[in-house]
Amino acid sequence: MDFGLPDDSRRFLSELRSYLDGLNLDKVVAETLEDDHEAGPAGQEMLAQMGRDGWLGIGWPAEHGGRGRSAVDQWLYLEEMAYRRLPAGGLSITSVGPTLMKLGTAEQKAEFLPAILRAEVRFAVGYSEPDAGSDVASLRTRAVRVGDEYVVKGQKIYTTGAHDCSHIWLAVRTHPTETRHRGLSVLLVALDSLGVTVQPIYTQADTRTNEVYFDDVRVPVANLVGEENEGWAAMMVALDFERIFVYAAALKDFEELVAWTRVFPSEKSPLIADRTVAHRLAEMAADLEVARLLALRTACIIDTGVVPTAEAAALKVWISELRHRIATEGLAIVGEHGQLKAGEDAAPAAGQLEHQYRAGTVLKFASGTNEVMRDIIAQRALHLPRARALGKVYG
Amino acid sequence: MADLRLDDIEQMLRDTARRFLRQVSVERLLSWETSEDGYDSDVWSSMVGLGWASLTQAAEGGGGANLIHTGIVLGETGRAGLPSPLFQTLVTVLGLTRLGGDPAALLAERLAQGEARAVTVAPADPGRLVTLTENPDGTAVLCGSPVLTEWALWAQTFIVPARVEGAPERCALVVVDAQAGGVGVEEATSFDNERIGVVTFDRVVVPASGVLSADVRADDLETMLALRDLLRCSEMLGGARRALELSVQYATDRVQFGQPLGTKQAVQHRCADMLIALDGAWLATFEALWTASTGPASTRSIAVARFQAARACEQAVLGAAQLTGAMGFTREYPLNVFFRRVKAQQLRLGSVTSQLDSLAAEFLAVSEGV
Ligand SMILES: Cc1cc2nc3c(=O)[nH]c(=O)nc-3n(C[C@H](O)[C@H](O)[C@H](O)COP(=O)(O)OP(=O)(O)OC[C@H]3O[C@@H](n4cnc5c(N)ncnc54)[C@H](O)[C@@H]3O)c2cc1C
């Protein structure tokens, strides 16, 4: 067992830190405080700059313009960005790009990979539909092949970023009769294609996500990822690249909470001097350490060439629940002043407690609901028996 | 490169230990529990023969002990539910090696070879350590309120970390014969299967040769006691892991409502939560063991490990008690051994209040007992 970071990783991290220290990122941070699901305009500008400077695609191989670094280094990178409340390029960098490297055609790689690294191409993810949430395999958006094009018809929902991304990573049903996991395909679709309509959905966190309608949208067959009707496999590969969940955003929330309890209601007699308060904070600190270790373990497993399944599920459950708990319990510690909304000067901890209280429920059901994560842990790691197949119930 | 898997040697050590401990059946556990000595001296001799009692001796060439190896073996004895003086011996050898001088190293060697029996007498709370008063002639006097001590009646010798009267930053490591005048040893019964004695020092005169070291820094002593907690965590985690294994086994085999109970999501999710918590605590424990093996121990990591292990292990045995129903409640089913041991071990780490106090001191820079 070796818990130590190699010198080379430490060097990499300190280079990254001095690079980031040299950028003026106040606006980007302000954007993240309002919406940490998606980069805003300043965030996109920063990402483009970082792309030009060679600071995107940390884990991408050199032949695709990346740095070819380990999963542990990529994790360190993502943590550093999250700790500074900066966007890190999202799924285009961590998941879509690497999936294309594995399954994409030479043309797709040439067209999309350099553009992703320049932050010119950004993908929204189109899985969820009104009737396909946790059970994404029941999706119904259809793509019918006509000559060298697919004609796409259907609707996606909660498609975050669709209003300002260039493309969508779209899961569709291509086989006329197969059901569920069989007969799906993934298409790369430009969001400015004719027949695409994007409509906003506003959330309780004051953020925006979207509904996207596809009305006979024509997509070149060249934009099919992998084999036709083998889209489930592509979705699973993309998912495999999405297993590093970071904890540093929660750490930052926690540190801001602690800082607040040192000065409120007064520096002379602050909240933190109360032993009950100190103990609740201490428990969060210990749980953040576990979050770090679960993340490190996941990254280490990836570096051995194995896809972490149950381990990534454990990480996801732990981090999503901890981050929301820090917000919720943090507000309980703060008390009355906790009601002030982010943006108010007197809002505790830069308003992140109340903001995460509103925003942070999502992680617990999105990216694989925590209930399904627990199923995975029970069945894959502990080998508990599966319930009898539900047969045609979902048909 | 960071790698959190067991390496080949660690794996071999674990497999060997697991194979050796297969002989520990629930029947034997229950019979040892009601026996005179409380343990099996043949099994103990074999353990010494396997080199387990020497795991915390400093490595040849001056390196520190490999505490990862120690944690792995204790994890296995914990998983077996085995009562034995191993934990006390390892802790005592570690204390002698880290804090004592040359005479201590000789004694440590004899303990490691099973040629002498000594245990450490120190309460969970460092604030309640025994006090040593130094005399001008080099002798000293030990005084202390009763200390709950595992395997006290088994020991011939007590190793006593003590605070030095009038020197707040200084501590001492003292060796005392169990038969010496003023030493009281009373048997007491704990609710698990380890053996407990209550040790009292009533103005015990210690000759100069009994003071192994009179200038141990208070911090070093506290770190040593924290390492004891850490080793206890690894043993406790082994027992809790076994409780989870028993739950999974039961849920897989037990058919109710026409299906194995383990197909139910409520059962699966409870098991999953037990695993997440145990894995987290295990990683925290082994990170702290790794740190202490490769450089100075981190009291911060140990505080995290102690809290996480105490909480996770309790969650696991309580979960197991629910998941195995009436069967889990009986003596003949092994769970009760782990249900009792894990809680008793958790209590030997001290109160949850003190655990949270030390976390708060480490992470929030607020002093204990604000
Ligand atoms: C802000 C936001 C952004 C999003 N962004 C995207 C995006 O960019 N692209 C995209 O495709 N989707 C996106 N989603 C959708 C997200 O992936 C879904 O919310 C998720 O798949 C869960 O589906 P659902 O919300 O319909 O919940 P449902 O499927 O209706 O489930 C509701 C709840 O039921 C429980 N449940 C579900 N399954 C099980 C089970 N097997 N066992 C026990 N309990 C269960 C869980 O508690 C679950 O949370 C986003 C959602 C939000 C809120």
Side-chain angles (χ1 to χ4, degrees):
Chain A
M1 248 181 277
D2 183 353
F3 286 80
L5 290 182
D7 289 343
D8 184 49
S9 295
R10 292 178 192 282
R11 258 196 310 278
F12 163 74
L13 195 55
S14 67
E15 266 177 50
L16 170 66
R17 285 177 176 158
S18 38
Y19 170 76
L20 291 171
D21 287 344
L23 304 178
N24 181 1
L25 300 171
D26 294 349
K27 269 197 204 141
V28 186
V29 174
E31 284 175 358
T32 313
L33 289 175
E34 281 182 21
D35 182 355
D36 68 348
H37 294 150
E38 228 228 320
Q44 286 173 37
E45 209 173 290
M46 177 203 78
L47 289 169
Q49 173 78 44
M50 290 183 77
R52 285 194 293 277
D53 296 339
W55 281 105
L56 291 183
I58 300 305
W60 287 26
E63 58 166 313
H64 295 301
R67 293 194 174 215
R69 299 199 69 96
S70 65
V72 166
D73 288 353
Q74 206 181 338
W75 167 63
L76 291 171
Y77 169 85
L78 292 172
E79 294 290 10
E80 185 65 27
M81 298 300 281
Y83 186 73
R84 291 172 185 249
R85 299 204 188 283
L86 302 173
L91 290 176
S92 303
I93 298 283
T94 54
S95 176
V96 172
T99 306
L100 285 180
M101 290 172 210
K102 208 163 164 175
L103 300 179
T105 61
E107 291 74 27
Q108 287 168 353
K109 290 179 198 172
E111 180 180 354
F112 290 105
L113 296 180
I116 289 176
L117 274 196
R118 287 194 305 269
E120 288 164 12
V121 161
R122 296 190 314 126
F123 280 90
V125 174
Y127 288 164
S128 303
E129 297 181 2
D131 290 328
S134 306
D135 182 21
V136 66
S138 63
L139 66 87
R140 290 203 297 236
T141 295
R142 283 280 288 139
V144 179
R145 189 162 172 173
V146 181
D148 54 6
E149 286 180 332
Y150 288 105
V151 179
V152 180
K153 197 169 184 59
Q155 184 198 346
K156 294 289 169 181
I157 194 168
Y158 310 122
T159 324
T160 305
H163 60 292
D164 61 11
C165 285
S166 60
H167 290 74
I168 182 167
W169 173 267
L170 187 69
V172 293
R173 197 161 282 290
T174 34
H175 196 281
T177 54
E178 294 274 31
T179 57
R180 300 199 44 78
H181 309 82
R182 288 179 298 271
L184 300 178
S185 297
V186 170
L187 303 178
L188 307 171
V189 182
L191 277 162
D192 60 5
S193 307
L194 211 63
V196 175
T197 310
V198 178
Q199 280 179 356
I201 300 176
Y202 293 102
T203 75
Q204 68 170 11
D206 299 332
T207 57
R208 175 183 172 165
T209 179
N210 304 284
E211 287 178 289
V212 185
Y213 295 87
F214 298 85
D215 191 8
D216 291 336
V217 176
R218 295 184 169 266
V219 180
V221 167
N223 284 15
L224 169 72
V225 179
E227 301 287 310
E228 189 180 72
N229 297 327
E230 298 296 330
W232 188 255
M235 290 161 76
M236 291 304 110
V237 171
L239 191 74
D240 284 347
F241 285 115
E242 211 190 301
R243 289 174 191 270
I244 298 181
F245 298 88
V246 296
Y247 86 107
L251 176 64
K252 189 76 166 188
D253 295 348
F254 171 74
E255 288 181 358
E256 280 172 359
L257 166 63
V258 171
W260 176 263
T261 63
R262 286 190 203 287
V263 295
F264 189 84
S266 75
E267 265 176 82
K268 264 214 177 117
S269 121
L271 281 176
I272 202 170
D274 180 314
R275 199 183 202 179
T276 314
V277 170
H279 282 182
R280 292 185 89 163
L281 294 172
E283 193 164 345
M284 293 176 197
D287 288 344
L288 282 162
E289 285 291 288
V290 166
R292 174 178 60 76
L293 285 164
L294 291 172
L296 172 64
R297 175 174 74 166
T298 304
C300 285
I301 294 173
I302 296 172
D303 276 333
T304 62
V306 174
V307 174
T309 309
E311 292 88 353
L315 168 64
K316 197 256 166 180
V317 168
W318 187 272
I319 283 190
S320 58
E321 295 186 355
L322 177 57
R323 185 163 196 207
H324 199 243
R325 198 184 95 215
I326 288 172
T328 306
E329 270 195 42
L331 287 174
I333 288 171
V334 167
E336 193 178 18
H337 273 69
Q339 70 185 302
L340 293 175
K341 199 172 175 182
E344 290 284 333
D345 283 345
Q352 273 308 285
L353 299 177
E354 78 81 18
H355 181 72
Q356 277 309 317
Y357 172 72
R358 288 183 289 135
T361 54
V362 175
L363 266 182
K364 294 191 273 186
F365 58 78
S367 306
T369 185
N370 285 6
E371 280 73 13
V372 171
M373 295 293 118
R374 288 183 165 92
D375 289 353
I376 288 173
I377 295 164
Q379 290 161 16
R380 305 269 185 98
L382 295 171
H383 307 293
L384 280 162
R386 284 161 187 265
R388 270 192 218 114
L390 286 169
K392 283 202 175 152
V393 173
Y394 283 139
Chain B
M1 193 49 127
D3 190 344
L4 310 192
R5 298 171 302 177
L6 300 188
D7 65 26
D8 289 347
I9 293 174
E10 290 158 353
Q11 215 159 341
M12 211 160 67
L13 188 65
R14 189 197 60 188
D15 294 347
T16 310
R18 195 165 288 190
R19 221 172 303 124
F20 173 76
L21 291 163
R22 255 190 228 141
Q23 60 180 300
V24 180
S25 61
V26 67
E27 293 78 18
R28 292 184 81 190
L29 285 172
L30 295 178
S31 83
W32 292 327
E33 198 169 342
T34 48
S35 72
E36 176 77 18
D37 296 339
Y39 76 117
D40 186 309
S41 54
D42 291 340
V43 173
W44 171 242
S45 307
S46 308
M47 286 158 66
V48 172
L50 287 166
W52 292 359
S54 65
L55 284 165
T56 47
Q57 256 185 313
E60 274 179 57
N66 188 324
L67 296 181
I68 296 256
H69 289 179
T70 315
I72 287 170
V73 168
L74 283 172
E76 291 305 311
T77 56
R79 187 175 167 278
L82 181 74
S84 86
L86 178 65
F87 172 76
Q88 265 286 24
T89 303
L90 287 169
V91 166
T92 307
V93 167
L94 185 66
L96 288 167
T97 317
R98 282 176 75 98
L99 306 177
D102 288 341
L106 274 176
L107 180 54
E109 173 65 17
R110 294 183 55 224
L111 296 184
Q113 299 308 324
E115 293 159 6
R117 303 168 162 198
V119 296
T120 301
V121 182
D125 174 6
R128 286 186 49 246
L129 281 172
V130 172
T131 308
L132 183 82
T133 309
E134 294 171 315
N135 293 325
D137 63 358
T139 64
V141 178
L142 268 188
C143 268
S145 46
V147 180
L148 297 182
T149 305
E150 295 152 86
W151 299 94
L153 282 100
W154 169 82
Q156 305 151 322
T157 309
F158 294 139
I159 303 300
V160 190
R163 301 229 175 251
V164 177
E165 180 69 34
E169 289 307 310
R170 194 152 63 82
C171 292
L173 195 68
V174 180
V175 52
V176 182
D177 193 293
Q179 309 290 329
V183 177
V185 192
E186 300 262 324
E187 186 159 7
T189 315
S190 65
F191 65 74
D192 69 340
N193 62 350
E194 295 288 338
R195 285 296 157 105
I196 301 295
V198 183
V199 179
T200 318
F201 300 107
D202 182 11
R203 279 162 293 165
V204 176
V205 179
V206 183
S209 62
V211 181
L212 295 171
S213 168
D215 54 2
V216 175
R217 287 178 47 229
D219 281 355
D220 290 342
L221 179 57
E222 286 189 12
T223 301
M224 168 57 216
L225 294 175
L227 286 172
R228 172 175 74 168
D229 288 350
L230 191 58
L231 292 179
R232 199 189 289 290
C233 288
S234 54
E235 188 165 38
M236 182 170 69
L237 279 163
R241 179 73 59 159
R242 182 72 178 281
L244 173 57
E245 287 171 19
L246 289 167
S247 310
V248 168
Q249 189 67 53
Y250 185 89
T252 306
D253 297 342
R254 176 73 166 163
V255 174
Q256 291 287 286
F257 309 103
Q259 284 196 33
L261 282 173
T263 56
K264 305 275 180 210
Q265 205 175 39
V267 170
Q268 294 199 350
H269 286 192
R270 188 152 197 166
C271 290
D273 283 333
M274 287 153 70
L275 181 65
I276 297 172
L278 288 178
D279 274 4
W282 194 89
L283 288 167
T285 300
F286 277 79
E287 181 176 54
L289 289 168
W290 179 84
T291 307
S293 299
T294 51
S298 157
T299 50
R300 171 186 278 229
S301 303
I302 297 174
V304 173
R306 186 166 40 204
F307 173 78
Q308 293 292 351
R311 190 180 61 182
C313 290
E314 181 174 281
Q315 180 184 345
V317 291
L318 291 178
Q322 180 68 11
L323 291 166
T324 57
M327 179 68 93
F329 196 63
T330 64
R331 277 251 161 189
E332 73 192 76
Y333 192 73
L335 179 64
N336 76 87
V337 175
F338 304 97
F339 187 80
R340 293 179 291 130
R341 272 176 71 86
V342 160
K343 186 67 188 174
Q345 285 168 328
Q346 179 209 51
L347 296 173
R348 291 178 192 125
L349 294 170
S351 67
V352 67
T353 310
S354 67
Q355 288 163 22
L356 287 166
D357 278 346
S358 37
L359 278 175
E362 294 286 349
F363 283 91
L364 308 171
V366 295
S367 58
E368 293 179 22
V370 279

